Amino acid sequence: MAKVLVVGASGTVGSELVRLLGAKGHEVRRATSRRPSGPAQVHLDVVTRQGLSQAFDGVDRAYLLCPPGHTNQDELLAPLVDEARARGLDKLVLMSAMGANADENAPLRKAELHLENSGLAWNVIRPNWFMQNFNTFWIQGILEQGRIFLPV
């Protein structure tokens, strides 16, 4: 089985992916911006690049997701793609966002293009909706006004 690096492993998507990969017998290295809490977890700060080299030590594949709250996704993700290429990873998967390919100059699209041009085997996934958004981001408007407020 492969040794897989999951960046964002303590988040909603990452933690479920870690569980599913583990259930399939893969060895998983969990990278998170939080302080490590176990032997298979490493600290990785994508903004400062602290822990970048250690996160990729000995892995065969990696899963990256766009760190929330940043507009310069391409600048944050490119070093991870470059590290994966330097290490000769078998595969890299990037979770992007719906519509990222609508503008070639959008930061997420630039990150996708950097991956696509890396020479690595890759997949880009663009989920378009998460059910937990209803009980996190939009719950206040739903409870108080009976509406979902979106900037559209």
Side-chain angles (χ1 to χ4, degrees), residues 19-152:
R19 186 187 72 74
L20 293 170
L21 287 169
K24 294 282 187 183
H26 296 283
E27 184 179 347
V28 181
R29 173 166 299 145
R30 299 176 293 132
T32 176
S33 61
R34 299 177 184 167
R35 182 167 288 237
S37 61
Q41 190 171 7
V42 294
H43 179 277
L44 172 59
D45 184 328
V46 297
V47 175
T48 66
R49 300 182 189 157
Q50 181 183 10
L52 179 62
S53 180
Q54 297 87 345
F56 281 87
D57 280 347
V59 299
D60 306 303
R61 301 174 186 170
Y63 171 85
L64 313 177
L65 60 90
C66 304
H70 297 277
T71 57
N72 60 335
Q73 301 288 342
D74 54 328
E75 296 169 13
L76 298 177
L77 292 168
L80 280 73
V81 172
D82 294 343
E83 186 70 23
R85 181 180 52 227
R87 301 288 184 116
L89 265 62
D90 297 332
K91 179 99 177 219
L92 193 61
V93 176
L94 171 64
M95 186 176 89
S96 183
M98 178 180 73
N101 60 334
D103 179 356
E104 296 294 306
N105 293 310
L108 279 176
R109 182 60 182 147
K110 287 181 181 179
E112 291 177 356
L113 290 170
H114 190 73
L115 174 57
E116 291 172 21
N117 294 318
S118 70
L120 293 166
W122 57 270
N123 287 95
V124 171
I125 55 175
R126 297 187 189 123
N128 64 358
W129 204 260
F130 288 104
M131 199 58 139
Q132 72 265 19
N133 290 344
F134 288 103
N135 65 359
T136 56
F137 300 114
W138 301 310
I139 191 66
Q140 184 176 355
I142 293 169
L143 293 174
E144 294 175 2
Q145 312 240 346
R147 296 181 181 168
I148 298 173
F149 294 98
L150 296 172
V152 294

